[in-house]
Amino acid sequence: MSDSRVPNSSGQGPGGRRRSWAELLAGRVKRQKYSPERAQKLKESAVRLLRSRQDLSALLLEVEGLQCKKLCLSNLIDCGSSEAHANQSNSFIGSALQDQASRLGVPVGILSATMVASGVGQICAAPVDPSHPVLLTVEQRKKLSSLLEVAQYLLAHNMFSRLSFCQELWKIQNSLLLEAVWHLHVQSIVSLQELLESHPDMRGVGAWLFRNLCCLCEQIEASCQHADVARAMLSDFVQMFVLRGFQKNSDLRRTVEPEKVPQVAVDVLQRMLIFALDALAAGVQEESSTHKTLRGWFDVFSGHTLGSIISTDSPKRFFSHTLTQILTHSPVLKASDAVQMQREWSFARTHPLLTALYRRLFVMLSPEELVGHLQEVLETQEVNWQRVLSFVSALVVCFPEAQQLLKDWVARLMVQAFESCQLDNMVTAFLVVRQAALEGPSAFQSYADWFKEAD
């Protein structure tokens, strides 16, 4: 049998030595010249690999081998122990990240951001107290504090990308705890505004914040052991929402999507108020979870919550907007219905939570502003007569001067009604006076006396 094999195809080199695959392939590989475009593509590919990797520690181990165990995420998260502090300082961590970024071919800021975001995710994924679903446990809080110390060092040395961190953080949104987000803001890692601006779905983040704020309000009223932390969180979130959602248009100066944060802020505040008004209309049971949520939310209208921004115009615009929403929400009743039912809407029979909300609005807005706002809403929008008339009752009970303000306004309505044959104005005047008179002579003159005077 003839030998038809190609010489050297057996892989044997001179002297019969079998050559390695590297030697066999060495002649086939051509060294490619350096190209900026190719280098950029390789960097982009490395970044995509980094961001799509589920187990970042495993990826770094593939790149660096066993030495990378010194910098695995669990060690970073647990660096609150004295042993960890002794074995790895922030400078060592920064140096190691720079080395790994160089080997991976990615910017160190992106690698650092991905690692810290993954660490936050691991902390939030740990078992939580089911009665406090938006708060960290003591152990989680300790670990997060240690991790954020590392992040602060990386930030100070320009080794941390805020934008990349925000993007990575929203990937774990479903498991992200609201308190963790708050600590990122308080410790100046990324602000709440930066986080909101980086979210790809405005409606989605609004819904997420709404659910979390409802839980937070309920926990505050449940007198949990972390109530002080919860109150501080709620105050900071509400202050940001009010400032950004109700500032003057001329103040909107953002470099990235300038309208996004104000829209999210208004959306969240709107969701909370509509939830509260719907619950009140349905008849919320005292001491139920919904009742606690509403009580906690209505407390945000106090000076204690809005204290640091009370000197701005935003809170007053927010309160005026809230009043408009109360008066116009779900306008299902007609004026004819109000004539029959308004006795049930007196101050004494109105839900205590709603009268408490009215009182808080009264602190920010003067009687003149309140009556003027009521007049404007009635003239321009379809209203919920139950809310309008319960508001009138609260107004005359809480403000002695409201009696004369209402009488003057009603007098103008009557003049307009007779001069222009505007029946709506006359109906409004009669309903308002009848409602105010229900609160007794200490609050408003009797309906009969007013009618004689108006004759």
Side-chain angles (χ1 to χ4, degrees):
M1 186 174 181
S2 62
D3 189 358
S4 60
R5 290 179 298 175
V6 178
N8 293 328
S9 63
S10 64
Q12 291 184 345
R17 180 179 62 84
R18 182 176 292 277
R19 291 183 294 177
S20 67
W21 278 107
E23 290 175 312
L24 287 171
L25 296 175
R28 301 172 183 263
V29 178
K30 295 181 180 179
R31 179 179 295 275
Q32 297 185 10
K33 295 182 179 180
Y34 174 78
S35 168
E37 293 80 8
R38 183 172 178 273
Q40 182 62 31
K41 287 182 179 179
L42 286 173
K43 182 177 290 188
E44 290 172 357
S45 297
V47 170
R48 283 196 298 272
L49 174 64
L50 182 65
R51 286 178 169 167
S52 64
R53 187 77 183 196
Q54 293 290 332
D55 189 346
L56 182 59
S57 294
L59 173 62
L60 297 178
L61 276 172
E62 291 176 14
V63 176
E64 294 237 357
L66 295 178
Q67 290 184 349
C68 184
K69 287 186 177 181
K70 297 178 182 179
L71 197 62
C72 67
L73 287 175
S74 59
N75 288 345
L76 279 180
I77 295 171
D78 293 330
C79 65
S81 66
S82 58
E83 180 182 356
H85 275 300
N87 293 335
Q88 56 186 51
S89 64
N90 288 339
S91 59
F92 168 77
I93 293 172
S95 176
L97 283 169
Q98 284 180 320
D99 291 343
Q100 290 166 354
S102 177
R103 287 177 172 80
L104 288 168
V106 298
V108 65
I110 292 179
L111 178 62
S112 300
T114 305
M115 175 168 282
V116 175
S118 185
V120 173
Q122 287 187 19
I123 292 171
C124 291
V128 298
D129 187 341
S131 63
H132 307 137
V134 297
L135 299 178
L136 300 167
T137 64
V138 174
E139 184 63 24
Q140 286 174 311
R141 200 170 290 139
K142 180 181 177 182
K143 290 182 177 181
L144 182 64
S145 177
S146 297
L147 181 61
L148 297 190
E149 285 183 12
V150 176
Q152 286 173 332
Y153 173 86
L154 296 172
L155 266 171
H157 292 80
N158 298 317
M159 292 189 289
F160 189 85
S161 169
R162 280 188 168 95
L163 178 58
S164 294
F165 177 70
C166 293
Q167 293 170 342
E168 293 300 316
L169 211 57
W170 287 127
K171 291 179 181 179
I172 56 170
Q173 176 178 320
N174 291 335
S175 61
L176 193 60
L177 296 180
L178 190 65
E179 185 183 342
V181 172
W182 177 67
H183 282 293
L184 294 172
H185 170 78
V186 171
Q187 298 192 33
S188 301
I189 306 301
V190 288
S191 68
L192 296 176
Q193 294 186 41
E194 286 179 281
L195 280 168
L196 294 181
E197 285 174 348
S198 67
H199 200 283
D201 179 12
M202 184 185 73
R203 295 290 295 175
V205 73
W208 181 80
L209 285 166
F210 163 70
R211 291 192 300 271
N212 279 271
L213 288 177
C214 284
C215 290
L216 187 63
C217 290
E218 181 184 350
Q219 289 164 37
I220 290 173
E221 291 302 311
S223 301
C224 69
Q225 60 175 328
H226 306 299
D228 290 343
V229 173
R231 288 191 186 93
M233 288 170 58
L234 184 61
S235 179
D236 284 347
F237 276 101
V238 170
Q239 286 183 24
M240 191 274 286
F241 292 149
V242 172
L243 275 175
R244 297 292 291 124
F246 293 92
Q247 60 187 344
K248 291 181 180 179
N249 290 335
S250 59
D251 293 334
L252 300 178
R253 301 189 186 97
R254 306 298 297 172
T255 57
V256 180
E257 297 185 13
E259 296 297 329
K260 191 169 187 178
V261 173
Q263 287 181 31
V264 172
V266 172
D267 178 58
V268 174
L269 294 173
Q270 188 86 341
R271 286 173 186 266
M272 293 299 295
L273 182 60
I274 290 175
F275 168 76
L277 295 176
D278 284 343
L280 288 172
V284 60
Q285 297 296 316
E286 191 169 353
E287 296 309 314
S288 64
S289 61
T290 301
H291 189 274
K292 292 175 182 177
T293 299
L294 266 56
R295 201 165 60 206
W297 180 248
F298 287 167
D299 279 345
V300 308
F301 292 87
S302 66
H304 174 74
T305 301
L306 300 172
S308 66
I309 64 170
I310 209 72
S311 60
T312 69
D313 292 333
S314 294
K316 179 170 285 192
R317 281 192 286 272
F318 169 54
F319 277 48
S320 296
H321 174 80
T322 299
L323 179 56
T324 299
Q325 297 304 305
I326 293 172
L327 299 176
T328 59
H329 176 67
S330 189
V332 294
L333 297 174
K334 300 178 181 179
S336 57
D337 299 318
V339 173
Q340 300 175 9
M341 303 174 65
Q342 65 182 125
R343 187 172 294 276
E344 300 299 319
W345 303 335
S346 66
F347 184 82
R349 297 187 180 186
T350 299
H351 198 289
L353 284 176
L354 184 57
T355 57
L357 178 57
Y358 286 149
R359 289 178 182 274
R360 285 180 166 82
L361 296 177
F362 294 167
V363 172
M364 182 64 66
L365 303 171
S366 68
E368 292 81 6
E369 289 172 321
L370 292 165
V371 173
H373 197 82
L374 175 61
Q375 177 183 350
E376 180 183 352
V377 170
L378 283 167
E379 289 176 351
T380 59
Q381 300 188 53
E382 190 176 2
V383 297
N384 181 318
W385 279 105
Q386 181 178 3
R387 297 276 192 264
V388 167
L389 296 180
S390 67
F391 174 75
V392 169
S393 284
L395 199 59
V396 296
V397 168
C398 296
F399 289 116
E401 58 266 50
Q403 178 173 174
Q404 189 59 49
L405 291 169
L406 285 176
K407 288 174 67 175
D408 293 343
W409 170 44
V410 167
R412 292 192 297 272
L413 285 175
M414 295 297 289
V415 170
Q416 293 170 3
F418 285 114
E419 288 181 350
S420 306
C421 297
Q422 295 179 0
L423 183 60
D424 287 347
N425 284 352
M426 187 174 294
V427 171
T428 298
F430 284 134
L431 285 174
V432 168
V433 172
R434 286 185 64 189
Q435 188 68 32
L438 287 174
E439 302 306 329
S442 61
F444 201 86
Q445 68 182 132
S446 69
Y447 182 71
D449 289 344
W450 173 83
F451 194 81
K452 291 178 183 178
E453 291 181 3
D455 190 6

